[in-house]
Amino acid sequence: RGDSAAADRRVDSICPYCGVGCQLTYHVKDEQILFVEGRNGPSNQGRLCVKGRFGFDYPGHPARLTRPLIRRPGVPKGLDPDFDPARPLTHFREASWEEALDLAARGLVELKATQGPDALAGFGSAKCSNEEAWLFQKLVRVGFGSNHVDHCTRLCHASSVAALMECLGSGAVTASFMQALQAEVVILTGCNPAVNHPVAATYFKQAARNGTKLIILDPRGQALDAYAWRSLRFSPGGDVALFNAMLNVIIGEGLYDPAYIDAHTEGFAALKAGVVDMTPEAMSPLCGVAPEAIREVARAYAGAERAMIFWGMGISQHVHGTDNARCLISLALACGHTGRPGTGLHPLRGQNNVQGASDAGLIPMVLPDYQPVGDAQLRAAFEALWGTELAPDPGLTVVEIMDAILAGQIRGMYILGENPAMSDPDLNHARAALAALEHLVVQDLFVTETAQFADVILPAAAWSEKTGTVTNTNRQVQLGRAALAPPGEAKPDWWIIQQMARRFGLGWDYAHPREVFAEMKRGMHSLDHITWERLEREGSVTYPCPADDAPGQDVVFADAFPRAGGRARFSPTRPLPPDEPVDAAYPVVLTTGRLLEHWHTGAMTRRSRVLDEREPEAAAFLAPAELGRLGVAPGGAVRIATRRGAITLTARVDPGMPEGMVFVPFAFVEAAANLLTNPALDPDGKIPEFKYAACRLSPAS
Ligand code: SF4
């Protein structure tokens, strides 16, 4: 904790990292943030994790972009191992905003004129505000003329949203994570909250201390196991088998809630018939959990008066990710565990504004508030709002856009704050696609790996330099305020998007994000009764909110679901093998994810002094026995190879890792995990199978 008396001013804002959305205060002196303190926000009550508390200095990193850059003629596009982000000027030259914006827009406008609207695509960012997400998708839809707009939700919870939309009619959580304090049983599956949602993890610990039975279902052990009533390790990819076996027990033993099912659901008979043969004995070989253990957790969940299920990307990042989420939804519906305090379904959202960016329409198949682009009536409302005709066909998703570039369809892109040269699966493929673009505009804080492929780089303001709203995993819309001025000529993203839109002939004239928010309210009923003034006053309002002076609804769907007839739907599933099962040549499962200290591709946290000092190098996390078998000592070098590439990292012992599995974080460009990952997609959510690729390990020198 710093000395608050030393600060010139204090500015209240929101943490820029995870979907927990902790409220914080920047203590500023001489235009620098001295330190950060947690505020009494609804989702953090003064708490912050190491990222929120210490990861505030990246905007002042020496490599920060302060002027627009234009690629020098003849410099080839691609990652240069000798590229120095602190001295990018050998590859690029500085330019005025006027010159850079003219060039950036002209390349896209000309491609649209010669190749048609389907030649352009855009990636927006879940690290930007709701207003910026709204403007970006509006530019693509109205200016580019297509729905080829997506963002990182495609790499994290798109499959969860697909299942929630299909079964409940809404893609957001049904209850906040604070409701865990009122639950008798809490299931955490495919998530590691102590690492990825650390402040949410404090609520789970608190609940467990108060007597809640915490059940952890995951292939890998984790810190929260110490608080768990039961922690079951299932085989990687065995989740659908495990969940169906639990449903088999609940239905077979009559533990379900017939009154709830009759009143609120449809399709139970099909679910019942579908799971009849998936007994714990039949599923145990597929999921690796003993039948009695399956029965025990199924009975505990079904027998509780109030129970919740939380999940993360261990559930969603599979070719069966949507099926996984369908199973979890079926468990909750069968037992009547939604719509009351202490019950619910909660996919823990990743980035600080992935909920808000999705709500605002940064998704290729839906307009804001998840309204399908193919529905002429819904589309007409946005056509009236924006004064133009909109494309009726769903656009391409993140990985599909990379494929479409190499197929010659997509020729120009505008990428705002995303880093597909690090975050996409099978990076050699993704980087070849970026290099093949005829025109690429990247807007970011640094010359990221993706920016190294750009024709024009536009320098953006960091979160602590901007004002705007964000929406966290709990559906809480919160106001972030600028604490610092952007350095040099860097500008807020909303300002830059507007300048690009004007060069597409759009007469945009927003003077402040509050004007964008006002327009959003005209197209998004989810924001009813939430105003900018209210957010300035209250800091946070949960949607849906029933009245101007009422609190938002922490728990939703008490009476009905937002589907035709008001009923939720059961969606039966069958276990499927992973896309690339292990075999004799590649006998180990590779899984990827984040570290506590490093955020996604590391663009921010690896430029934050404390965080980078705590985790400075790429490591492979392995079970002690696996390391022993390899003959590699902790701290030694291990090579990991898949059918797509190979990397070498430092070996680290992780007693929580099962044998036959290795975990690699994807934040390190020098050993980029996504060179190895499998681009196979879930057919519904179009999410890649980041959590399972067949690999082989060997000692490296
Ligand atoms: Fe930031 Fe998430 Fe940590 Fe809270 S838990 S301080 S939102 S990274």
Side-chain angles (χ1 to χ4, degrees):
R1 176 171 295 222
D3 175 9
S4 59
D8 297 332
R9 62 181 189 276
R10 300 171 197 183
V11 181
D12 290 343
S13 191
I14 311 296
C15 175
Y17 293 109
C18 89
V20 170
C22 294
Q23 292 193 1
L24 50 73
T25 299
Y26 294 115
H27 292 252
V28 182
K29 182 176 174 58
D30 300 334
E31 293 311 307
Q32 287 203 325
I33 296 171
L34 283 181
F35 66 96
V36 171
E37 220 172 9
R39 278 192 289 145
N40 192 24
S43 63
N44 67 314
Q45 297 177 316
R47 294 166 242 185
L48 294 176
C49 78
V50 67
K51 287 192 291 292
R53 193 170 294 284
F54 296 110
F56 58 82
D57 55 340
Y58 65 89
H61 190 277
R64 180 73 190 279
L65 286 170
T66 58
R67 293 201 70 193
L69 299 178
I70 291 176
R71 175 174 295 278
R72 290 185 189 280
V75 176
K77 291 185 176 184
L79 273 193
D80 175 353
D82 299 323
F83 182 83
D84 180 358
R87 302 183 64 247
L89 297 186
T90 52
H91 290 55
F92 299 91
R93 67 172 173 84
E94 291 185 342
S96 68
W97 269 109
E98 209 59 23
E99 182 189 12
L101 285 165
D102 284 349
L103 181 64
R106 191 167 61 238
L108 299 172
V109 168
E110 285 177 0
L111 280 169
K112 180 183 174 186
T114 57
Q115 309 295 325
D118 281 332
L120 301 182
F123 290 164
S125 174
K127 293 192 288 287
C128 289
S129 68
N130 290 324
E131 296 73 35
E132 290 163 341
W134 172 273
L135 290 184
F136 192 84
Q137 60 88 36
K138 181 178 170 184
L139 170 60
V140 172
R141 294 194 154 108
V142 175
F144 293 11
S146 79
N147 289 304
H148 302 317
V149 61
D150 208 351
H151 75 299
C152 70
T153 190
R154 197 65 44 206
L155 306 178
C156 61
H157 267 304
S159 44
S160 306
V161 172
L164 288 163
M165 289 295 295
E166 171 189 290
C167 299
L168 305 188
S170 163
V173 301
T174 73
S176 74
F177 60 70
M178 295 86 78
Q179 291 294 327
L181 295 172
Q182 300 187 50
E184 286 175 23
V185 168
V186 165
I187 292 180
L188 303 176
T189 184
C191 58
N192 188 351
V195 167
N196 295 319
H197 301 86
V199 168
T202 65
Y203 288 82
F204 302 139
K205 292 178 191 172
Q206 200 177 334
R209 282 203 192 98
N210 293 344
T212 298
K213 285 182 176 170
L214 201 57
I215 297 172
I216 298 180
L217 309 175
D218 203 279
R220 185 182 174 195
Q222 56 180 281
L224 285 182
D225 286 341
Y227 297 81
W229 173 70
R230 294 291 181 270
S231 180
L232 305 185
R233 311 277 177 87
F234 60 82
S235 317
D239 20 26
V240 171
L242 171 63
F243 303 143
N244 273 317
M246 290 172 66
L247 284 163
N248 173 283
V249 172
I250 290 166
I251 295 171
E253 297 185 6
L255 305 175
Y256 54 92
D257 183 340
Y260 180 91
I261 291 168
D262 282 352
H264 297 292
T265 71
E266 62 189 32
F268 183 65
L271 179 82
K272 191 173 178 180
V275 301
V276 74
D277 60 335
M278 290 193 266
T279 62
E281 283 71 20
M283 294 297 104
S284 179
L286 295 180
C287 68
V289 178
E292 264 323 295
I294 297 173
R295 287 196 173 84
E296 187 181 36
V297 296
R299 288 167 186 155
Y301 177 75
E305 174 62 24
R306 299 174 305 284
M308 297 186 75
I309 303 177
F310 295 86
W311 69 94
M313 281 166 255
I315 290 298
S316 60
Q317 289 177 334
H318 284 284
V319 289
H320 57 265
T322 306
D323 279 349
N324 264 338
R326 287 176 176 130
C327 288
L328 299 175
I329 294 164
S330 289
L331 281 165
L333 295 177
C335 301
H337 286 329
T338 63
R340 294 175 289 116
T343 68
L345 289 156
H346 190 124
L348 287 156
R349 305 309 301 259
Q351 298 225 26
N352 72 328
N353 197 34
V354 70
Q355 182 66 57
S358 301
D359 297 344
L362 272 185
I363 298 182
M365 55 289 279
V366 292
L367 291 155
D369 265 357
Y370 307 94
Q371 312 203 39
V373 295
D375 185 315
Q377 201 177 340
L378 296 173
R379 204 171 58 248
F382 284 91
E383 290 174 339
L385 180 63
W386 293 334
T388 188
E389 209 171 306
L390 297 174
D393 301 319
L396 298 171
T397 61
V398 165
V399 177
E400 289 173 338
I401 286 171
M402 292 296 147
D403 293 340
I405 295 169
L406 290 173
Q409 179 197 332
I410 300 287
R411 298 178 179 225
M413 281 196 75
Y414 181 15
I415 298 180
L416 188 169
E418 292 261 317
N419 195 4
M422 280 290 286
S423 59
D424 274 23
D426 189 8
L427 280 183
N428 285 322
H429 175 85
R431 290 172 180 174
L434 291 170
L437 282 167
E438 290 171 32
H439 189 67
L440 173 60
V441 180
V442 173
Q443 185 167 314
D444 217 310
L445 311 185
F446 302 100
V447 182
T448 61
E449 290 74 19
T450 299
Q452 292 179 47
F453 291 81
D455 295 279
V456 184
I457 306 175
L458 304 175
W463 176 247
S464 52
E465 298 157 357
K466 293 193 294 189
T467 292
T469 66
V470 283
T471 307
N472 70 2
T473 190
N474 291 326
R475 294 181 268 101
Q476 290 157 339
V477 185
Q478 309 199 89
L479 185 63
R481 297 173 178 87
L484 304 172
E489 297 178 18
K491 297 283 189 189
D493 291 284
W494 67 267
W495 183 91
I496 306 172
I497 300 165
Q498 172 157 278
Q499 297 303 316
M500 290 288 284
R502 287 178 181 173
R503 285 162 175 80
F504 270 80
L506 306 174
W508 293 7
D509 195 20
Y510 305 99
H512 188 276
R514 73 162 65 83
E515 295 177 9
V516 183
F517 189 80
E519 180 180 300
M520 292 172 70
K521 285 175 58 60
R522 291 165 59 203
M524 296 175 65
H525 284 302
S526 61
L527 296 177
D528 286 354
H529 306 292
I530 304 176
T531 62
W532 190 274
E533 293 68 31
R534 193 172 170 189
L535 290 171
E536 281 186 326
R537 215 170 43 243
E538 300 176 29
S540 173
V541 182
T542 301
Y543 80 78
C545 183
D548 291 353
D549 55 356
Q553 288 179 262
D554 203 39
V555 178
V556 292
F557 312 145
D559 303 317
F561 291 91
R563 295 185 74 245
R567 288 174 177 270
R569 172 185 155 189
F570 288 101
S571 192
T573 64
R574 303 291 302 180
L576 287 171
D579 178 74
E580 186 185 57
V582 292
D583 56 20
Y586 295 95
V588 173
V589 177
L590 166 73
T591 188
T592 65
R594 302 194 294 256
L595 297 175
L596 172 62
E597 290 80 2
H598 283 306
W599 185 245
H600 288 193
T601 65
M604 292 148 69
T605 52
R606 293 203 72 195
R607 294 177 173 94
S608 179
R609 187 179 62 80
V610 171
L611 301 177
D612 200 44
E613 281 179 4
R614 281 176 59 88
E615 281 290 356
E617 65 173 1
F621 294 68
L622 291 148
E626 198 70 52
L627 273 179
R629 211 173 1 257
L630 275 173
V632 174
V638 60
R639 182 175 185 273
I640 308 177
T642 68
R643 291 180 175 86
R644 292 157 292 281
I647 58 175
T648 298
L649 314 92
T650 302
R652 191 181 292 185
V653 171
D654 182 345
M657 287 303 295
E659 292 178 43
M661 191 175 195
V662 58
F663 170 82
V664 179
F666 63 95
F668 298 87
V669 65
E670 59 274 31
N674 282 320
L675 287 166
L676 311 182
T677 47
N678 183 358
L681 300 182
D682 173 284
D684 301 303
K686 303 287 177 75
I687 196 167
E689 192 155 54
F690 287 120
K691 288 292 188 279
Y692 194 117
C695 74
R696 66 169 170 258
L697 309 175
S698 56
S701 52

